[in-house]
């Protein structure tokens, strides 16, 4: 069964360092997303990506964050200068079409980021 | 304002008991989707069900059942004869047509099934 895969599963970094989280979406999917879950809290939308550009982003997704699809398969989230409050589980997701048509996002297993 | 409210933060039940997880949503959209996801201790999000706003028929899948009532803006989830493996955090989520791809998650209900 096709699935969304994420690497690394867990990353520990020092405050101020750059971090790149990687995702391989399901191959025939066109829309890609990043969500974040701070420990014990709800899952929050960060950004959606379609046709090599950001289609929507939340207030959380500030200038410290960027996304790209460098090679047609990977979908990356970069945090330029990590802060303590960036510590969270980051989920990648993909869908065949826009959420309102397919109704289902396929989530990866998450990448846990710990900023010290 | 919260678009999805899960008022129950934590629930504990004894194995084989039935348990209902509540979800109340708020939207002005006429076309929307509702979801339930399970998050086990390992942390991944496991899709359980999707419901669109035009389909109010209740659904049963094994020990799981869902009660969607537009009149009360609720989409409740019942586990019958709970098992220890059901212990997890359960999230209700809403996807609205006019906001496109964003999923609005509730704060989750942590279910503990005691053997």
């Amino acid at each position: 069964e096709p699935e969304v895969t994420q690497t690394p599963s867990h990353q520990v970094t020092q405050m101020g360092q750059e971090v790149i989280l990687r995702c391989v979406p399901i191959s025939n999917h066109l829309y890609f997303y990043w969500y974040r879950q701070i420990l014990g809290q709800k899952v929050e939308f960060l950004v959606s990506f379609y046709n090599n550009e950001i289609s929507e982003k939340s207030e959380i997704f500030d200038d410290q964050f960027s996304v790209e699809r460098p090679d047609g398969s990977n979908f990356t989230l970069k945090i330029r200068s990590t802060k303590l409050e960036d510590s969270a589980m980051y989920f990648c997701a993909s869908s065949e079409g826009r959420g309102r048509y397919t109704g289902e996002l396929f989530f990866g297993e998450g990448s846990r980021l710990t900023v010290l | 304002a919260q678009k999805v409210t899960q008022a129950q933060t934590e629930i504990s039940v004894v194995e084989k008991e039935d348990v209902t997880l509540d979800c109340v949503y708020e939207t002005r959209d006429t076309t929307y989707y509702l979801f339930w996801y399970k998050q086990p201790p390992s942390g991944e999000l496991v899709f359980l069900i999707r419901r669109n706003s035009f389909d109010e028929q209740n659904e049963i899948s094994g020990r799981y059942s869902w009660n969607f009532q537009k009149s009360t803006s609720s989409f409740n989830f019942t586990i019958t004869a709970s098992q220890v493996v059901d212990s997890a955090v359960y999230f209700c989520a809403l996807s609205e047509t006019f906001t496109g791809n964003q999923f609005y998650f509730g704060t989750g209900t942590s279910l503990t099934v005691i053997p």
Side-chain angles (χ1 to χ4, degrees), chain B residues 21-92:
Chain B
L21 310 182
D22 297 334
C23 174
V24 174
Y25 63 92
E26 179 184 331
T27 180
R28 295 181 183 177
D29 208 352
T30 55
T31 303
Y32 53 89
Y33 290 89
L34 295 163
F35 305 81
W36 277 94
Y37 284 85
K38 174 181 180 180
Q39 187 175 43
S42 49
E44 71 270 25
L45 289 169
V46 179
F47 169 81
L48 295 178
I49 189 170
R50 173 192 69 200
R51 244 324 168 244
N52 75 55
S53 51
F54 297 108
D55 184 1
E56 285 194 75
Q57 195 168 19
N58 291 329
E59 183 161 334
I60 297 174
S61 176
R63 296 185 296 108
Y64 296 169
S65 61
W66 291 269
N67 184 356
F68 175 30
Q69 296 205 346
K70 286 179 78 169
S71 60
T72 55
S73 296
S74 65
F75 186 45
N76 296 338
F77 172 32
T78 297
I79 302 174
T80 303
S82 58
Q83 299 175 1
V84 172
V85 293
D86 296 327
S87 296
V89 180
Y90 291 85
F91 290 96
C92 181

